[in-house]
């Protein structure tokens, strides 16, 4: 990945790529972040724990399974089963992400930083390598006639 960003604090424009990502761990929690090269303000990219990493991996495997199922023309009911599973994984991931975000903040910024910044705006949304690409909206198979759900 490669992103141009403008620092909220000092308005310096800088570039973030994978090599500039930093990582801090505490127990099984892992916080990925980067720093502004000028004022060293930290920005969180992604906070994971063991379960989150497990979910990421599961999604990756399931995505591969779905691709295979589609290329081999599995029955739509089978594929739909996979898609439902994928949806469940996504939901859990989202929920977990919401839980982990404040923990990551705390690890990186400490507890007493909350007055200064206040909101969760410190977290920068970045699509990054841990997040598997979505597979369910693209490469539609020929058996996609059942768009109306049950
Ligand atoms: Zn800065």
């Amino acid at each position: 990945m490669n992103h141009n960003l403008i620092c909220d604090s000092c308005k310096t424009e800088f570039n973030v790529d994978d090599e500039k990502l930093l990582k801090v761990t505490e127990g099984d929690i892992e916080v990925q972040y980067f720093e502004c090269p000028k004022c060293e303000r930290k920005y969180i990219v992604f906070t994971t724990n063991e379960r989150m990493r497990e979910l990421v991996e599961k999604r990756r495997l399931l995505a591969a399974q779905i691709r295979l199922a589609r290329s081999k023309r599995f029955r739509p009911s089978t594929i739909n089963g996979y898609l439902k599973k994928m949806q469940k994984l996504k939901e859990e991931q989202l929920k977990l992400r919401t839980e982990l975000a404040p923990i990551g903040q705390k690890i990186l910024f400490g507890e007493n930083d909350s007055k200064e910044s206040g909101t969760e705006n410190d977290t920068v949304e970045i699509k990054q390598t841990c997040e598997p690409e979505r597979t369910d909206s693209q490469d539609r198979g020929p058996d996609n006639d059942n768009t109306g759900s049950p």
Side-chain angles (χ1 to χ4, degrees), residues 7-12 14 36-41 43:
C7 176
D8 285 346
S9 294
C10 68
K11 309 295 175 203
T12 300
F14 62 102
C36 168
K38 197 172 172 197
C39 71
E40 296 187 341
R41 176 172 173 164
Y43 293 88

Side-chain angles (χ1 to χ4, degrees), residues 12-139:
T12 300
E13 198 175 333
F14 62 102
N15 185 272
V16 177
D17 56 33
D18 286 328
E19 283 181 15
K20 292 193 183 110
L21 274 190
L22 302 162
K23 201 164 77 177
V24 60
T25 52
E26 194 178 296
D28 80 328
I29 308 264
E30 204 177 283
V31 187
Q32 287 173 41
Y33 69 101
F34 57 86
E35 281 179 356
C36 168
K38 197 172 172 197
C39 71
E40 296 187 341
R41 176 172 173 164
K42 295 180 174 78
Y43 293 88
I44 292 184
V45 179
F46 198 38
T47 306
T48 63
N49 62 3
E50 210 177 308
R51 180 65 183 152
M52 178 60 98
R53 291 190 290 277
E54 211 177 283
L55 286 171
V56 168
E57 179 64 11
K58 275 190 177 166
R59 261 181 76 172
R60 201 179 61 77
L61 293 174
L62 190 58
Q65 210 171 13
I66 290 169
R67 269 197 300 275
L68 182 80
R70 279 178 170 154
S71 70
K72 302 248 182 208
R73 307 279 166 96
F74 280 23
R75 283 192 315 209
S77 60
T78 308
I79 294 175
N80 280 338
Y82 290 158
L83 290 176
K84 272 192 188 130
K85 230 161 131 186
M86 178 65 97
Q87 191 55 39
K88 277 223 170 87
L89 287 177
K90 280 184 192 171
E91 277 162 18
E92 189 180 345
Q93 218 176 16
L94 204 71
K95 208 176 126 214
L96 196 57
R97 196 179 173 130
T98 317
E99 286 170 21
L100 287 171
I103 299 172
Q105 295 264 331
K106 207 185 268 185
I107 290 174
L108 199 57
F109 299 108
E111 305 214 32
N112 44 11
D113 192 58
S114 46
K115 290 171 213 133
E116 197 199 319
S117 48
T119 59
E120 62 269 35
N121 289 344
D122 283 347
T123 307
V124 181
E125 252 340 289
I126 287 185
K127 276 263 172 283
Q128 39 78 55
T129 43
C130 292
E131 195 79 45
E133 86 285 17
R134 52 211 188 287
T135 46
D136 39 358
S137 52
Q138 58 202 27
D139 69 328

